[in-house]
Amino acid sequence: MIDVLLPIFSKPIEREYEGWLVRGIEKYFQELGIFAVVWAVSPIIESTWPADEHFFTSGKIIGLQMKKASLCIRQNRNPDFTDLHWNLCDPKGQFELIQKTNEIYYCLPTFINRKWRDKALEHCIFWRPTTAINYNTWYDNPRAKDNPYNKISVHPNALRWGYFYEKVMACDIGVRLSMDFTPHHYLSNLQRSITQELRLIEQMEENITRGLYLIYLNI
C-alpha cells in the first residue's frame, strides 16, 4: 500500500487537516521572515464568505476552505491515488458560492497518513472549480470519465503551494487591500453587500407573491 495513503488509528477529519495546514503556512513564512497571518473565519462571515481560514500576506487576502481526503475502497486491492477524492457537497450551496468568490480556494490534502502531517503544506492542492457542477473531486480517476473534476492532479486551476504563493506575489490570486482598507473592512463590506442583495431578492419574491395574491382576489 502507498504509505501516504495508509491510515494510522483513523482517517483525519477536516479540523485536523486545517490545523496542520495553518501550522505549515505559519512556519513557511516565519522561516522566510515574511509577514503573513492566518486566522479562523467566524460562522457569521462564513455564511456569505465560505472559507475556514483567512490568509493575509503581501497586501492580499485569500480564503482557504479545507476538505478532508477520502478513499474509495475497492475489494481485493490496496487503495492508490486513483481512489483519492474529496466530497464538496456539504454544506449545501457552499460549492456554488465558492465558484462566485474568486479569492477563495479549496485546500485538498493528498495524504491520509498522519505521519505526513508536518508536510501537509507540500501535500495539499489549492484548487478552484470551474463553472461545472460536480461535488465529487478526484485526484486522478480514469473511471470517473463523465466527471469534469476527475483528474485534479493536473487540473489548470489546481496549484501546489510554491506556485500558489508565487501567483499571490504576482497579484494573480487574492484581493489586494490598501493600508486603510483592512481585511476587516473588506469582509464587512462584502457581507453588507451580500445581505443587501438577499434583501432585494426577498422583496422581489414578496412583491411577486403579493401580486399573484391580488390577482387571485380580483378573479
Side-chain angles (χ1 to χ4, degrees):
M1 184 175 184
I2 299 173
D3 182 67
V4 72
L5 299 180
L6 175 66
I8 295 180
F9 304 119
S10 65
K11 296 175 183 176
I13 60 178
E14 284 182 10
R15 70 169 179 264
E16 290 181 281
Y17 281 120
E18 186 177 347
W20 298 335
L21 182 68
V22 169
R23 185 162 65 245
I25 292 174
E26 291 175 340
K27 181 181 178 182
Y28 175 87
F29 287 106
Q30 287 171 359
E31 292 178 349
L32 288 173
I34 297 174
F35 175 79
V37 289
V38 186
W39 73 104
V41 175
S42 76
I44 295 174
I45 293 177
E46 190 175 0
S47 63
T48 53
W49 198 73
D52 292 322
E53 297 283 339
H54 315 82
F55 171 37
F56 181 71
T57 187
S58 301
K60 303 168 198 73
I61 187 168
I62 301 103
L64 304 177
Q65 173 57 242
M66 178 62 66
K67 294 299 177 184
K68 69 178 181 179
S70 300
L71 290 174
C72 178
I73 306 299
R74 290 181 283 166
Q75 291 184 345
N76 302 322
R77 61 179 294 280
N78 289 325
D80 57 31
F81 284 108
T82 66
D83 301 309
L84 181 63
H85 65 104
W86 305 268
N87 192 327
L88 311 181
C89 67
D90 187 36
K92 184 179 179 180
Q94 183 186 79
F95 181 90
E96 289 80 1
L97 193 51
I98 287 178
Q99 284 180 313
K100 300 175 183 178
T101 314
N102 293 331
E103 71 272 19
I104 296 179
Y105 276 73
Y106 279 112
C107 301
L108 308 177
T110 60
F111 68 99
I112 302 289
N113 192 332
R114 284 186 168 82
K115 184 178 69 176
W116 294 69
R117 62 185 179 274
D118 290 338
K119 299 298 180 183
L121 194 58
E122 291 91 330
H123 295 276
C124 182
I125 294 175
F126 296 83
W127 176 74
R128 282 194 51 75
T130 59
T131 57
I133 302 293
N134 196 297
Y135 304 122
N136 202 20
T137 303
W138 296 87
Y139 182 87
D140 183 1
N141 183 2
R143 305 185 301 276
K145 295 179 181 179
D146 297 330
N147 187 333
Y149 308 134
N150 70 336
K151 198 176 179 68
I152 290 298
S153 57
V154 294
H155 194 277
N157 290 351
L159 311 174
R160 296 292 183 162
W161 171 250
Y163 188 38
F164 179 79
Y165 182 54
E166 288 164 9
K167 290 179 76 66
V168 172
M169 289 189 288
C171 299
D172 295 329
I173 289 176
V175 174
R176 187 165 186 82
L177 306 178
S178 66
M179 292 294 291
D180 298 328
F181 197 61
T182 66
H184 173 74
H185 293 142
Y186 170 72
L187 294 173
S188 296
N189 287 357
L190 180 64
Q191 189 176 18
R192 191 179 304 113
S193 175
I194 293 174
T195 301
Q196 290 174 350
E197 288 184 15
L198 292 175
R199 286 175 180 170
L200 286 174
I201 292 172
E202 289 176 356
Q203 289 175 1
M204 290 175 62
E205 291 176 347
E206 287 177 2
N207 290 337
I208 291 172
T209 304
R210 188 180 299 112
L212 292 173
Y213 181 66
L214 290 173
I215 290 172
Y216 175 77
L217 288 177
N218 287 335
I219 291 173

